[in-house]
Amino acid sequence: MAKVLVVTSGKGGVGKTTSTAALGVALARDGQNVVVVDFDVGLRNLDLVMGAERRVVYDLINVIQGVVKLPQALIRDKRIPTLSLLAASQTRDKDALTEEGVARVIAGLREKFDWIICDSPAGIERGPTLAMRYADAAVVVTNPEVSSVRDSDRIIGLLDAKTEKAEKGERIDKHLLITRYEPARVARAEMLSIDDVLEILSIPLIGIIPESEDVLRASNLGAPVTLSNPMSAPARAYTDAARRLRGETIEMTVPIDKKGLFDKLFRRRAA
Amino acid sequence: MTFFGLGRRRSSAPVARERLRILLEYERATAGQRDVMLVLREEILAAIGRHVAIDPDKVIVKVDRGVTVSTLEIDIEVPNVEMRLAPA
C-alpha cells in the first residue's frame, strides 16, 4: 500500500529538500516506486537538487488546475527508472494550492507509487499545512540548534492537529531526522546532543546525518548524495534512514568518513 | 584524474555555476512571459488537431533546456482510423 510521507521542519534551511531527494533516491534504489513532490510553490528547488531543472514542463499547480493530467506532469529520473518528480510551480502564488486539488493529486499518486514524499516549504502556513495534510507519516528534519528544535516542536504540534489522520483520531507516524550533526562539537559540548534533542522533542529517531562536504557537492551536481556518492557518510546515514522507514531494524550510528592516508594526502590538493 | 579515487573529487563548484547560469538565464528571460515551449506545444497540437482528433491525455511533452539550443519532444498518440486525411 502506498505511503505518503511529508518531509517538514518549520524552520528553513535545515535540509528538507536535500533529505527529500536523498531519501527518495535511497528508497527507489531499493526497488520501491517513488515520487518526490515539491510543495514549495513560487520557490521551487527540488527540481534543481534532483538535477531535473531543465526538464520541467508542467507542475503540481497545472495538475491541480486541470491543465494536464497527472502522468503528463511527472518527470521520470534519467538515472533511476523507479524515481519520479512532480515539480512545484515557479510562477504562480501559493494560493493556487487548494485542499481539494492536493487531495486529488495525492489520491492519483497513491495509485501509481509505493512512496509519495512531499517536500514541505518552511513556515507553518498554507503551503506547509497542505504538504502535511494527507500524510501517513512525517519526517521532521531538525538541526541540533535551538531555533530549529523550537520550530520542530511547533511542527510536531501541527502534525498532531492539522493532518487528516489526526482529525480522524488516527495517529500519524512522526520520525525525527537530525541533520548537520557534528560529533566532535557535541563532544566539546558546543552542540546539542542527540539525547538533548530527543528529550525535548520526544519522537522516535529515524536517522542522524553528519555534517559533510558531500552534501553541498551533491546539490552542486544535481545528484542527491545517495546517488552521487553512496559510500559517503551522509549517504550511508540516509540509506539506513530509508531502510528504517521501510520497517527494518538497523542499529543507530553516526557514519563517519573513513579517510585513508592517500585520501588525506590528495584530498586537500584536489579540493 | 581517477588515481586513488580522486576522479570523484574534482571540484563541483564549476558544475553548480554552469547549471545556475543556464537556469537563471532562462528564468530571467521568461519572467512574466508565457513559456515559449508551451506556446509551441499548443500551436503544434492545434495544427495537428485540425486534421485528426487528438486525445489531450495521450500527449506527452518533454523539454530539455540547453545553453544554445533546447529540445522539445512531443509524443502524440493518433488513432489509426482517423489517419486518412479528408479529401481536399
Side-chain angles (χ1 to χ4, degrees), chain A residues 132-133 155-168 172:
Chain A
M132 70 169 64
R133 180 79 190 139
I155 280 293
I156 291 167
L158 285 183
L159 286 165
D160 286 332
K162 297 273 178 131
T163 53
E164 194 186 46
K165 270 201 140 180
E167 284 178 3
K168 281 197 277 184
I172 176 162

Side-chain angles (χ1 to χ4, degrees), chain A residues 193-205:
Chain A
S193 72
I194 300 294
D195 286 342
D196 293 335
V197 180
L198 282 174
E199 196 184 307
I200 299 165
L201 296 178
S202 48
I203 60 170
L205 187 63

Side-chain angles (χ1 to χ4, degrees), chain B residues 76-87:
Chain B
I76 307 166
E77 195 178 299
V78 181
N80 283 337
V81 282
E82 299 179 41
M83 274 302 279
R84 254 171 278 121
L85 287 173

Side-chain angles (χ1 to χ4, degrees), chain A residues 5-249:
Chain A
L5 184 71
V6 61
V7 178
T8 187
S9 71
K11 190 174 184 305
V14 296
K16 286 181 294 298
T17 302
T18 301
S19 298
T20 300
L23 290 173
V25 165
L27 287 166
R29 281 198 141 182
D30 261 2
Q32 300 282 293
N33 262 313
V34 180
V35 62
V36 289
V37 186
D38 193 346
F39 272 81
D40 205 343
V41 173
L43 285 174
R44 74 167 176 226
N45 273 319
L46 186 57
D47 57 330
L48 196 51
V49 170
M50 296 285 296
E53 73 278 5
R54 285 151 66 167
R55 297 170 57 213
V56 178
V57 193
Y58 300 112
D59 54 55
L60 176 61
I61 302 297
N62 293 143
V63 180
I64 284 179
Q65 295 181 336
V67 176
V68 287
K69 287 274 163 59
L70 184 54
Q72 296 167 300
L74 292 172
I75 303 167
R76 182 87 71 87
D77 191 273
K78 284 190 171 171
R79 304 153 297 198
I80 305 175
T82 53
L83 180 62
S84 297
L85 163 73
L86 182 54
S89 171
Q90 183 74 321
T91 48
R92 322 295 168 102
D93 72 82
K94 58 187 186 322
D95 294 335
L97 277 182
T98 62
E99 188 167 322
E100 181 276 330
V102 172
R104 199 160 20 88
V105 171
I106 297 283
L109 292 172
R110 276 184 189 272
E111 285 171 21
K112 296 175 197 295
F113 296 96
D114 303 315
W115 290 89
I116 298 126
I117 310 182
C118 305
D119 182 19
S120 173
I124 52 168
E125 299 192 7
R126 190 183 184 81
T129 320
L130 283 175
M132 70 169 64
R133 180 79 190 139
Y134 302 100
D136 303 307
V139 167
V140 179
V141 183
T142 307
N143 292 165
E145 181 271 327
V146 287
S147 59
S148 173
V149 175
R150 178 202 210 175
D151 291 0
S152 290
D153 192 61
R154 285 290 298 280
I155 280 293
I156 291 167
L158 285 183
L159 286 165
D160 286 332
K162 297 273 178 131
T163 53
E164 194 186 46
K165 270 201 140 180
E167 284 178 3
K168 281 197 277 184
E170 294 170 31
R171 232 176 54 99
I172 176 162
D173 289 325
K174 298 176 292 289
H175 308 282
L176 182 66
L177 183 70
I178 297 183
T179 56
R180 311 202 72 163
Y181 186 73
E182 297 181 62
R185 300 187 74 183
V186 173
R188 294 196 299 268
E190 292 174 11
M191 182 180 262
L192 290 173
S193 72
I194 300 294
D195 286 342
D196 293 335
V197 180
L198 282 174
E199 196 184 307
I200 299 165
L201 296 178
S202 48
I203 60 170
L205 187 63
I206 197 81
I208 307 162
I209 315 298
E211 172 76 64
S212 165
E213 59 189 53
D214 287 300
V215 172
L216 174 60
R217 188 171 178 279
S219 84
N220 280 347
L221 300 177
V225 72
T226 34
L227 184 70
S228 61
N229 194 357
M231 291 320 290
S232 65
R236 283 181 286 140
Y238 276 121
T239 304
D240 282 355
R243 298 225 168 106
R244 290 186 195 106
L245 282 173
R246 292 189 64 193
E248 283 184 45
T249 309

